Amino acid sequence: MYRRLTIVTHRVIANSNHVSTTSYYNQSNQLNPRSNGFLLVRLFSFSPVHRRAPDPDDPANLMKEDGVSVCSQMWIENFREPDRIVTNLTSYLRRFELWVLAYQKVCADDIGTYMPRSAVQKSALEDLLALRNAVLDNRFKYGSRLQFFIKSPRDKIEYESLSKRKIKAILTTTQPAPFQDKIVQEVLFMILEPIYEARFLQKSYAFRPGRNAHTALRVIRRNFAGYLWYIKGDLSTVLDGLKVGLVISALMRDVRDMKVIDLVKLALVTPVITSRPDEGEKKKKTKRKYQKKRVLADDEPKPDPYWLETFFGFAPEEAEKLPSWGHCGILSPLLANICLDELDRWMEGKIKEFYRPSKSDVIWNCPEGEAEQGNTSWPEFVPTSGPDKTRKMDYVRYGGHILIGVRGPRADAATLRKQLIEFVDQRYMLKLDNESLPIEHITKGIMFLDHVLCRRVVYPTLRYTATGGKIISEKGVGTLLSVTASLKQCIKQFRKLSFIKGDRDPDPQPCFRMFHATQAHTNAQMNKLLATMAEWYRYADNRKKIVNFCSYILRGSLAKLYAAKYKLRSRAKVYTIGSRNLSRPLKEKKGQSPDYQNLLRMGLAESIDGLLYTRMSLVPEADYTPFPSNWKPDHEKALLEYIRLDDPKTMEDQQSCIREQGLVSPQDYISMLVWNYKRNAIAMDQLSLFKSSVNKLEKDEQLLLDSNHENTDHKTKEEEASEGLHAARM
């Protein structure tokens, strides 16, 4: 019996492909029942572990790193080698971590809350993987209306059960961009943005991270002082769209990966359906019914608050237009900057070609024109230098609007304008004329980003040290560039938002949008709007005046609103009850109710904040912080610093500098402390430790010198002996 069991055991082991275990059992003694039974128990108690190979289609196995770390690595690689031609971007397109990160960002925009990586459901990851594979296999199409690889978490529509009428309406009317299109656009944006941000010049300040309208104004205040003629151009028609060939050729200057190029080209050439339902039919007039207040769903994003929506109405002309090309979506501003980067580089060449320094000029007399000269704490001041002035030019671009400052005769500005018209016509096929590129003198005031650039002549006292150490004070004359907020433009924006009426004497109008809101909520909304506008006019010379005017308009609008709401008949009565800043409640309980302060103290009343900046003395001063010439955004500084510290040559240079100056690095100091404590069993202070290390180095150098001398003496003795032997033989 035991022999039969042993044979069965042998067969089971042979079938399970365990060669080593089989040989072990074959060598066992089959005649010993105890040993056979023990081996049988050990055999059946042993359960072999079968390790399954990782499934390549499992999304969990594809997420090896964090998506943010992958993006950071792309930024570091491109800033380390900004001039290289990129040929292999498909490897990043395959990284599933980027697709998960894009899904999280698009979900945050769609549902209003950020979804952490652990909260993404497995079914969503599988659909996301299917979308990635479709993009890599050229099966993805932009603008799909009924067939989706992945849908938004908010999309609960079952498209299979829709009626023909609804399907026709979906296919023939304007619809928002599909959720899967936004994910593909986000992935392409994360791949392309670090490539071109490392290549863009410092002359563009729109649609770029860390560069906004404030940056452009500060650059103008610092670099455009002393310029007499200004060319202001509007190239915003480029933002409406260019030919596909021009965009692709500009993109292929630095990117040669055809998979990414084909995806961008497909987004540009796919038609966009923009028709409206029942177009051309006359709409029947219906009475306006009372609309109940709609309650937002849990997964529905909240609309912009009133103060933010109102502030967006103050957007300057240069920032109103946002490019939207085909199905590119978030890629459109980046593609516009890629196309206009050629204009920036052309203008940079013209700036170097136009620069002619003058020896009599005290500011710009350097051959390169890059050195900091003059009073660096007051770079906006430019002293006059007579007729023989340095010819200089500068350029700034914000979106599709350009501003060129010229220091020289007007004829040079006219020549530059002619060359610019030819370049734009040749490169962008855009017809410009002299009216679209006017040449204006600084004395007339140049409007840019709702700020007026003008010149102020100042007569400061210049002090300098003459020969012999004598300090001489003289009255100088120069110009100072003034950047002031346009009050006329501010009134225009308020009129557009229906806050005022009238031109010469603007009269505030009641803000009926906030009629059903409480006084505390209304005051809080207006305070946020005023604080944001005070920040917008931060670098304007007339910041106090313009912000106080905005406060006057909003305060008058609220006073009229409260007068209509609480039936107080006039603004004067509102100010009498609610005080100047409208911080006191305008509606109190009748009878013997406690005061507002007592109710507020007991927590039975809502706190009401008074309006900000009701007096000009409360408005903060303009910010005149000096702007550095080699300014870079914080993220670029961090990237360049990391690349510099990651370079082994930087560490070698620092160590050699420490040795030359006789210093000790903290790491070497700690190692010497530990070594001396181990050797001498005592703790040494820094001075004695440094002296001992210096003495040790001197002893080592002396030993090396002595050994070199001994070697040379030995060599000379051997040479003398060989010469004597050679003479004896002769």
Side-chain angles (χ1 to χ4, degrees):
M1 177 179 177
Y2 291 109
R3 183 177 300 178
R4 292 177 182 176
L5 288 174
T6 308
I7 294 172
V8 171
T9 304
H10 174 72
R11 290 179 179 176
V12 170
I13 296 172
N15 292 334
S16 61
N17 294 328
H18 293 287
V19 179
S20 59
T21 312
T22 306
S23 61
Y24 174 76
Y25 280 100
N26 286 335
Q27 293 175 2
S28 63
N29 187 8
Q30 299 178 0
L31 299 176
N32 189 355
R34 292 183 179 179
S35 62
N36 291 336
F38 178 70
L39 292 176
L40 184 63
V41 172
R42 287 192 61 187
L43 170 68
F44 285 102
S45 64
F46 173 72
S47 57
V49 179
H50 297 281
R51 294 185 178 180
R52 298 176 59 185
D55 187 5
D57 296 331
D58 188 5
N61 298 329
L62 297 176
M63 293 187 292
K64 300 178 181 178
E65 297 182 42
D66 187 27
V68 178
S69 63
V70 177
C71 287
S72 302
Q73 188 62 32
M74 287 193 295
W75 280 86
I76 292 170
E77 289 177 359
N78 287 283
F79 271 81
R80 183 178 283 122
E81 299 177 7
D83 298 328
R84 66 187 179 95
I85 303 296
V86 183
T87 56
N88 186 18
L89 291 179
T90 310
S91 59
Y92 286 110
L93 202 60
R94 294 179 183 276
R95 298 296 295 268
F96 191 63
E97 298 93 340
L98 293 180
W99 291 86
V100 176
L101 182 60
Y103 177 80
Q104 291 175 284
K105 295 176 70 175
V106 176
C107 278
D109 295 336
D110 197 46
I111 65 178
T113 56
Y114 180 76
M115 182 184 296
R117 181 171 165 180
S118 58
V120 183
Q121 297 181 358
K122 186 177 180 180
S123 59
L125 292 177
E126 292 174 352
D127 295 341
L128 194 61
L129 182 61
L131 175 63
R132 189 208 68 167
N133 295 336
V135 170
L136 293 175
D137 298 339
N138 299 326
R139 292 183 287 108
F140 172 75
K141 293 182 180 180
Y142 288 97
S144 179
R145 298 294 181 89
L146 298 175
Q147 297 178 355
F148 304 108
F149 293 96
I150 186 172
K151 295 195 302 182
S152 171
R154 289 180 53 204
D155 192 359
K156 308 297 183 182
I157 302 175
E158 296 181 0
Y159 292 90
E160 294 81 3
S161 60
L162 291 178
S163 62
K164 293 182 178 180
R165 182 179 60 84
K166 291 184 178 180
I167 291 176
K168 182 180 178 181
I170 292 175
L171 295 176
T172 57
T173 59
T174 303
Q175 300 288 333
F179 186 76
Q180 61 182 12
D181 289 12
K182 294 180 181 179
I183 294 177
V184 177
Q185 294 161 6
E186 190 69 45
V187 172
L188 291 175
F189 182 76
M190 287 190 292
I191 293 174
L192 292 176
E193 186 186 26
I195 297 173
Y196 287 98
E197 278 296 324
R199 291 164 169 78
F200 285 155
L201 299 180
Q202 306 295 327
K203 303 293 184 182
S204 59
Y205 298 95
F207 315 131
R208 297 183 61 186
R211 292 177 171 86
N212 51 21
H214 276 173
T215 311
L217 290 174
R218 297 185 72 185
V219 168
I220 290 172
R221 181 193 289 279
R222 190 195 187 284
N223 296 340
F224 280 64
Y227 294 156
L228 299 178
W229 301 101
Y230 285 82
I231 303 175
K232 183 181 174 183
D234 183 5
L235 306 180
S236 57
T237 51
V238 175
L239 303 182
D240 295 333
L242 290 174
K243 291 187 176 181
V244 179
L246 297 176
V247 179
I248 297 301
S249 62
L251 192 65
M252 290 189 66
R253 282 184 297 137
D254 303 303
V255 175
R256 302 293 171 84
D257 189 289
M258 295 311 299
K259 178 69 70 176
V260 175
I261 297 295
D262 291 342
L263 281 173
V264 176
K265 186 176 180 180
L266 182 63
L268 290 170
V269 300
T270 303
V272 180
I273 301 174
T274 57
S275 59
R276 297 180 180 179
D278 299 334
E279 191 172 4
E281 296 183 4
K282 294 182 179 180
K283 295 184 179 180
K284 296 181 180 180
K285 293 184 178 181
T286 57
K287 290 185 178 181
R288 184 179 178 182
K289 296 182 179 180
Y290 175 75
Q291 294 180 353
K292 293 183 179 180
K293 194 173 183 180
R294 191 171 65 89
V295 180
L296 297 176
D298 295 336
D299 57 351
E300 188 176 359
K302 295 181 180 180
D304 292 333
Y306 174 74
W307 68 270
L308 186 59
E309 184 182 347
T310 307
F311 179 72
F312 286 159
F314 276 83
E317 179 189 358
E318 291 81 3
E320 283 183 349
K321 186 175 291 187
L322 184 68
S324 179
W325 297 355
H327 292 276
C328 291
I330 194 175
L331 277 175
S332 301
L334 178 62
L335 294 176
N337 270 333
I338 292 172
C339 295
L340 292 173
D341 184 61
E342 298 185 24
L343 175 63
D344 300 342
R345 296 184 181 278
W346 182 81
M347 281 300 306
E348 186 184 31
K350 290 297 178 181
I351 289 172
K352 294 179 180 179
E353 179 184 340
F354 186 79
Y355 179 69
R356 298 176 188 174
S358 174
K359 294 182 179 179
S360 61
D361 204 327
V362 297
I363 294 292
W364 300 302
N365 52 19
C366 181
E368 293 82 12
E370 298 293 337
E372 289 257 357
Q373 298 187 20
N375 188 2
T376 55
S377 63
W378 197 12
E380 297 87 1
F381 172 72
V382 178
T384 56
S385 304
D388 188 14
K389 296 181 181 180
T390 297
R391 295 191 177 184
K392 198 176 187 320
M393 181 172 62
D394 212 332
Y395 160 81
V396 161
R397 179 176 64 83
Y398 189 86
H401 294 258
I402 62 174
L403 183 67
I404 305 172
V406 179
R407 180 181 170 93
R410 190 183 186 280
D412 292 345
T415 304
L416 176 65
R417 178 175 64 178
K418 182 179 179 181
Q419 295 174 354
L420 180 61
I421 291 174
E422 294 176 356
F423 175 81
V424 171
D425 184 16
Q426 180 181 0
R427 184 64 189 88
Y428 303 113
M429 298 181 182
L430 182 63
K431 300 293 183 181
L432 297 178
D433 53 6
N434 294 341
E435 293 182 359
S436 59
L437 292 171
I439 301 176
E440 298 179 355
H441 198 267
I442 186 62
T443 54
K444 293 184 178 180
I446 313 300
M447 178 77 73
F448 195 72
L449 291 173
D450 283 356
H451 288 66
V452 179
L453 313 179
C454 53
R455 182 180 64 172
R456 288 190 296 168
V457 180
V458 293
Y459 302 91
T461 302
L462 303 178
R463 294 181 176 86
Y464 60 92
T465 305
T467 55
K470 186 179 180 181
I471 298 177
I472 299 177
S473 299
E474 292 183 354
K475 278 286 185 181
V477 59
T479 59
L480 183 66
L481 185 66
S482 177
V483 180
T484 59
S486 173
L487 184 60
K488 182 179 179 181
Q489 193 69 15
C490 183
I491 294 174
K492 179 181 177 182
Q493 301 288 6
F494 270 124
R495 190 183 299 111
K496 183 177 69 174
L497 296 171
S498 302
F499 272 98
I500 60 175
K501 70 175 182 179
D503 296 332
R504 295 183 179 180
D505 190 11
D507 183 27
Q509 297 298 302
C511 175
F512 286 114
R513 176 86 177 271
M514 305 294 293
F515 187 83
H516 297 285
T518 62
Q519 184 181 353
H521 179 70
T522 305
N523 284 11
Q525 291 288 310
M526 291 304 174
N527 279 338
K528 290 181 180 179
L529 176 60
L530 278 172
T532 311
M533 295 183 69
E535 180 64 22
W536 164 239
Y537 294 118
R538 179 177 180 177
Y539 300 100
D541 293 341
N542 60 340
R543 183 187 188 186
K544 281 181 168 291
K545 180 180 178 181
I546 194 75
V547 174
N548 186 253
F549 173 77
C550 295
S551 177
Y552 162 74
I553 295 297
L554 295 179
R555 189 166 59 97
S557 176
L558 286 187
K560 285 193 173 183
L561 171 68
Y562 294 151
K565 183 176 180 179
Y566 300 114
K567 300 178 181 180
L568 298 175
R569 296 185 180 180
S570 65
R571 284 188 290 174
K573 200 167 183 180
V574 172
Y575 292 140
T576 302
I577 300 175
S579 74
R580 180 185 179 89
N581 59 357
L582 303 176
S583 61
R584 296 188 60 82
L586 294 171
K587 187 178 182 181
E588 296 181 357
K589 293 182 180 180
K590 296 181 180 180
Q592 297 178 354
S593 61
D595 297 336
Y596 168 70
Q597 296 297 336
N598 295 334
L599 288 172
L600 187 63
R601 194 179 300 112
M602 291 185 294
L604 301 176
E606 191 176 5
S607 175
I608 300 175
D609 296 330
L611 287 184
L612 300 174
Y613 313 131
T614 54
R615 299 186 185 276
M616 190 175 291
S617 59
L618 301 176
V619 182
E621 296 282 349
D623 190 354
Y624 292 107
T625 306
F627 194 68
S629 59
N630 55 348
W631 177 88
K632 283 182 173 53
D634 293 337
H635 70 279
E636 289 190 10
K637 288 181 182 178
L639 282 170
L640 296 175
E641 185 69 16
Y642 177 83
I643 293 170
R644 189 180 68 85
L645 294 177
D646 193 43
D647 190 3
K649 187 178 179 181
T650 303
M651 184 63 68
E652 295 176 0
D653 295 341
Q654 290 179 352
Q655 290 178 353
S656 62
C657 181
I658 288 173
R659 294 194 204 98
E660 291 175 359
Q661 296 182 5
L663 302 176
V664 180
S665 63
Q667 294 85 353
D668 294 341
Y669 175 63
I670 292 174
S671 62
M672 285 190 292
L673 273 176
V674 174
W675 173 250
N676 280 280
Y677 187 78
K678 284 184 176 181
R679 187 179 63 180
N680 303 326
I682 57 173
M684 301 179 67
D685 58 346
Q686 184 176 4
L687 182 61
S688 58
L689 188 62
F690 179 70
K691 288 182 178 179
S692 63
S693 61
V694 172
N695 294 334
K696 185 179 179 182
L697 290 173
E698 292 179 354
K699 289 180 181 179
D700 293 341
E701 292 178 358
Q702 190 65 30
L703 288 174
L704 289 174
L705 292 174
D706 294 342
S707 62
N708 291 335
H709 285 306
E710 290 178 0
N711 292 334
T712 52
D713 294 341
H714 186 65
K715 287 181 181 179
T716 52
K717 290 180 180 179
E718 289 181 354
E719 289 174 358
E720 290 177 357
S722 61
E723 289 178 358
L725 182 61
H726 181 70
R729 288 179 180 178
M730 293 296 292

